[in-house]
Amino acid sequence: MTLAERLATFAAALEFDQLPADVVASARLRVLDIVGLALAASTYDFARAVVAAVSEGGPCTVIGTARTASAAGAALVNGTLAHGLDFDDTHAVSITHASAVVVPSALAVGEREGASGRDVIAAIVAGYEAIARLGMAAPGAFHARGWDATAVCGPFAAALAAGKLLRLDARGLTHALGLAGSFASGLMEFLEDGSGVKRLHAGWAAHAGVLAATLAAGGASGPASVLEGRFGFYRTFVGTAPVAEVFDTLGRAWETPRIGFKPYPCCHLNHAYIDCVVRLRQEHHLEPDAIVDVECHVPAGEVPIVCEPRAAKLRPRTTYEAQFSLPFAVAAALIDGRVGLGTFTAARLADEGLLGLAARVRHVVDPVLCSRRSVQRTRISASRGFGTNANVRGIPVDSH
């Protein structure tokens, strides 16, 4: 079987009663997380823009509003809201924001089809297991080529979740995956000017997956070799064949519980360093004005995302750009002792005390830090004549 056929066969056969208890518990909690995040985001300016872009009327709920929409339209809005605050969960190895894609697509189609909660959870888990493996099959390669892994892997996962709720068989789900491959998109170019388009990536992936599954249910076809084929997903997007072995554990090893909840509303690559400086601040009673230098040891692959270009990271032009700035996040954590939604506001962008401390935060590339499960280090020098340092395991996926 092709990789798409393997994913489709797994998803078609998956039943709620087959799921381990911890997988079910994890999926249920993630639904609550996503609904809460979407509600929180529904009052922001970007929410109004995406809501206005979707035609009103349909069987599906648009979270945080009195509006309804089509399943694809609701998936677009709700996925954007779920991802919009950059507070949604992350599967660290695949570098994908699984829930913001999979949950909105499953909830929309489930609502339209009158599906049971058990069926919706089974569909969500099928999507989680798919998106994790799709990213794991080319770890870090999508971002290295300028693709957002959530955006490009997401349509496949959403198509499986939606197609399962449409009761497509393995053949139908394979066609849905084949169609989703032509809908996959999402560039990392937003990093160049801090524009907010990435907020739409999860919503677009959810929308694309719902559309692909709906088209497949109507008889549209897509290539079964969409993932590993000569002109398929991996060779086109990353230029190499996928690591197919990660698909061998479908149904035996579960990635769903390994998706990490975010403790901070910013790029997850910043989180280990925030943990470090918060710990150091507490242990050594550090005053921001006494801090001379902060040194963060960073894996090379993360530098273009949260450390460079340095001028933009030191003085973010937009709140979204600030969420992808390691110096800004570290400085805010040292000043406030925490990082929350209030950290990334227009007022904080103009806070010269915060920006001044951010200018004293620097990074060094550490060749040892090649794994997202490896220990990351932060060192702070203070004017009182001592240096402090801490090691924190970067994004401990089983606890965050």
Side-chain angles (χ1 to χ4, degrees), residues 131-194:
I131 196 171
R133 284 170 174 79
L134 288 164
M136 290 165 65
F142 293 107
H143 287 80
R145 292 285 288 263
W147 298 108
D148 177 8
T150 299
V152 298
C153 297
F156 299 102
L160 280 183
K164 185 169 177 59
L165 290 166
L166 292 174
R167 303 197 179 281
L168 296 180
D169 60 13
R171 183 172 181 274
L173 289 174
T174 300
H175 283 301
L177 291 170
L179 292 162
S182 286
F183 301 159
S185 64
L187 301 174
M188 296 289 289
E189 186 64 14
F190 72 93
L191 289 170
E192 292 302 296
D193 63 4

Side-chain angles (χ1 to χ4, degrees), residues 190-274:
F190 72 93
L191 289 170
E192 292 302 296
D193 63 4
S195 54
V197 64
K198 184 176 176 288
R199 293 186 173 108
L200 291 158
H201 285 184
W204 180 257
H207 169 88
V210 171
L211 185 59
T214 303
L215 287 167
S221 63
S225 56
V226 62
L227 294 174
E228 73 273 40
R230 182 165 59 106
F231 300 114
F233 179 60
Y234 288 101
R235 286 187 169 84
T236 300
F237 279 65
V238 299
T240 62
V243 181
E245 291 79 7
V246 301
F247 297 90
D248 294 343
T249 59
L250 280 167
R252 294 190 289 109
W254 300 92
E255 293 297 323
T256 297
R258 298 188 176 104
I259 302 169
F261 290 101
K262 274 190 172 184
Y264 311 113
C266 59
C267 178
H268 76 283
L269 301 179
N270 290 338
H271 287 201
Y273 306 98
I274 296 172

Side-chain angles (χ1 to χ4, degrees), residues 21-31 128 256-259 261:
D22 65 324
V23 172
V24 172
S26 178
R28 285 172 167 163
L29 190 57
R30 293 174 197 291
V31 173
Y128 283 157
T256 297
R258 298 188 176 104
I259 302 169
F261 290 101

Side-chain angles (χ1 to χ4, degrees), residues 3 22 51 54 86 115 123 192 204 264 269 315 325 350 364 372 374 394:
L3 295 180
D22 65 324
V51 168
V54 173
D86 224 277
E192 292 302 296
W204 180 257
Y264 311 113
L269 301 179
R315 286 186 169 268
S325 166
V364 295
R372 296 189 180 276
S374 61

Side-chain angles (χ1 to χ4, degrees), residues 1-41:
M1 291 192 291
T2 66
L3 295 180
E5 288 170 331
R6 291 170 67 180
L7 284 171
T9 299
F10 161 74
L14 187 64
E15 299 291 341
F16 180 87
D17 291 336
Q18 298 171 340
L19 299 175
D22 65 324
V23 172
V24 172
S26 178
R28 285 172 167 163
L29 190 57
R30 293 174 197 291
V31 173
L32 290 175
D33 187 47
I34 287 301
V35 172
L37 289 172
L39 283 169

